[in-house]
Amino acid sequence: MLSREDNELLCRIGPGTPMGNLMRQYWVPAGLSSELPEPDGPPLRVRLLGENLLAFRVSSGAVGLIRENCPHRGANLFYGRNGGEGLRCVYHGWKFDVAGRCVDMPNEPEESNFKQKVRAVTYPCVERGGLFWAYLGPRETTPPLPELEPTMLADSTIQVYQRECNWVQALEGDIDTCHTVYLHLGSVTPEEAPPGTWARYALNDRAPRYQVADMDFGVMYGAYRPAEADSDYWRIANFLFPFYAMTPTGVLGLEVRVRAWVPMDDEHTLAITIGRGAQGTRKAGRQVVGPTETLPNTSDWYGRFRCVANACNDYLIDRKAQQTVSYTGISSIFLQDQAVTESMGPIYDRTNERLGSSDAMVIRTRKRLIDAARALRDSGKVPPGVDDPSVYAVRSGGVVLPRDADWIEATRELRRAWVEHPELSRAVLGGLPAV
């Protein structure tokens, strides 16, 4: 369990909080480039790290991110006119470029230099991998973008969903591998998975053992269980500062995928999954699962990427299916995760929890985050990965190793990004879901 003080430090990400200040050291994926489809189009409301911001694409194609209130008298710039390399407040016509400079102040005398003294709060933005990224931190010269492999590939796909809970409990679901054989495969017996497949190994032993290691990028874990005679099946996954997870999906060496748990505020989170190649329908045990259905986006602060199935309709749980073909009765893997993490409440009180050996990765990740936030607060120490984007060039996934192998050394090459492994096969998965 955590103390109340540590839980608050871990979860709160608003301006001026220790964890919020840590988040602001990094580039943050703020939304899809396709949400700003054309130059001079309407601004987009973006709730990010507890701030109300507006994203807009100017005539040259550059993206700006500005606080919602005009510096003049606070009118909301959402209603502004976007055109000619800036966003113009409709109240008095003041116009701001992507750097926050006031480039026009038509209600002041022509000879006045007042506009040169006025700045709106804006944040630098760049685009990569179908996303626009924002830097909300204090540096005049921004740090480099992280070298996350799937964000740098032409064939990557993106899925985005909103989750109505704190970012930490959402992230912790991704770094907890043992829930897979219960929440997602609880109704599947070992005999339903083909012999010699990873699904068979996982279902034969639903209580894996864990190894956890601190890494330059954050924390890595390996969960292992018996495979064949003298070998173990390992699921190796990563937490990467400040909010990324690479789950043990697929084959280590072939899988190229990362998920960002981006805090909109303390109680709302965007799950942005970027992966190489198609992320289509697949079979998990007796269930066929596909992408989660979302509602049409609206223009309110929480109107983006909301799931059709949600807490208000009990995630469309099917109690009959729960008794026959589904452990949960909830249709998709993402929704199963969403139901349990949101059911904890907006911010779970971790003074009430009781952790076991299977929570080793969760415990270590919390410690790394809390220690890094305190080090930044108390001594100004730059958090991991901010100035070294190469540490993010890693992969995760499953692998079978000899029982006496050193799991870190034996997988070093397979965990490197940008390396092709044509000798590896995806056939060993045998229905283990992408979680």
Side-chain angles (χ1 to χ4, degrees), residues 85-259:
E85 292 298 302
L87 187 62
R88 187 182 296 274
C89 178
V90 295
Y91 198 5
H92 297 95
W94 291 19
K95 182 177 180 179
F96 301 92
D97 67 10
V98 295
R101 294 181 292 255
C102 186
V103 295
D104 193 20
M105 194 177 281
N107 68 329
E108 289 293 314
E110 188 173 342
E111 66 273 14
S112 171
N113 67 352
F114 184 41
K115 70 179 182 181
Q116 298 172 16
K117 302 177 182 180
V118 175
R119 295 291 291 256
V121 176
T122 59
Y123 297 114
C125 291
V126 296
E127 294 184 86
R128 177 193 278 179
L131 298 164
F132 66 92
W133 303 65
Y135 177 70
L136 280 65
R139 296 187 182 187
E140 291 187 12
T141 301
T142 60
L145 282 168
E147 292 180 10
L148 291 160
E149 185 179 11
T151 70
M152 302 170 73
L153 298 174
D155 65 342
S156 288
T157 59
I158 305 174
Q159 293 178 343
V160 188
Y161 302 113
Q162 185 180 150
R163 191 165 289 186
E164 295 186 19
C165 67
N166 184 257
W167 72 280
V168 178
Q169 62 207 61
L171 167 72
E172 288 178 351
D174 260 5
I175 58 175
D176 162 25
T177 186
C178 73
H179 82 269
T180 300
V181 290
Y182 293 98
L183 182 66
H184 306 310
L185 294 173
S187 62
V188 181
T189 65
E191 291 71 29
E192 293 179 77
T197 61
W198 294 354
R200 185 68 166 259
Y201 302 149
L203 294 168
N204 270 332
D205 185 348
R206 298 183 193 244
R209 275 58 173 174
Y210 288 81
Q211 296 285 338
V212 181
D214 289 346
M215 309 296 286
D216 291 342
F217 55 76
V219 187
M220 178 176 70
Y221 77 83
Y224 63 99
R225 44 179 48 102
E228 300 303 326
D230 294 313
S231 63
D232 289 322
Y233 163 48
W234 287 78
R235 283 167 64 83
I236 295 173
N238 305 312
F239 157 73
L240 307 94
F241 274 91
F243 43 53
Y244 299 103
M246 290 181 177
T247 60
T249 302
V251 179
L252 184 62
L254 297 181
E255 192 68 20
V256 179
R257 191 185 307 269
V258 67
R259 182 175 290 127

Side-chain angles (χ1 to χ4, degrees), residues 256-331:
V256 179
R257 191 185 307 269
V258 67
R259 182 175 290 127
W261 292 104
V262 180
M264 301 171 69
D265 53 31
D266 291 340
E267 299 183 357
H268 298 82
T269 305
L270 284 185
I272 304 176
T273 306
I274 312 104
R276 179 171 63 183
Q279 300 178 39
T281 301
R282 59 195 180 276
K283 187 173 182 180
R286 288 171 285 175
Q287 291 179 270
V288 175
V289 296
T292 301
E293 185 180 3
T294 56
L295 297 165
N297 282 1
T298 63
S299 63
D300 61 279
W301 292 111
Y302 302 109
R304 302 160 64 213
F305 311 111
R306 294 172 299 174
C307 297
V308 170
N310 54 64
C312 294
N313 54 33
D314 296 320
Y315 307 94
L316 300 178
I317 188 170
D318 184 334
R319 294 294 187 182
K320 183 176 180 180
Q322 189 178 33
Q323 296 299 320
T324 54
V325 298
S326 167
Y327 188 71
T328 63
I330 297 171
S331 62

Side-chain angles (χ1 to χ4, degrees), residues 346-360:
I347 303 177
Y348 181 60
D349 179 0
R350 289 173 177 79
T351 64
N352 293 323
E353 68 187 0
R354 298 295 181 268
L355 302 181
S357 61
S358 64
D359 299 304

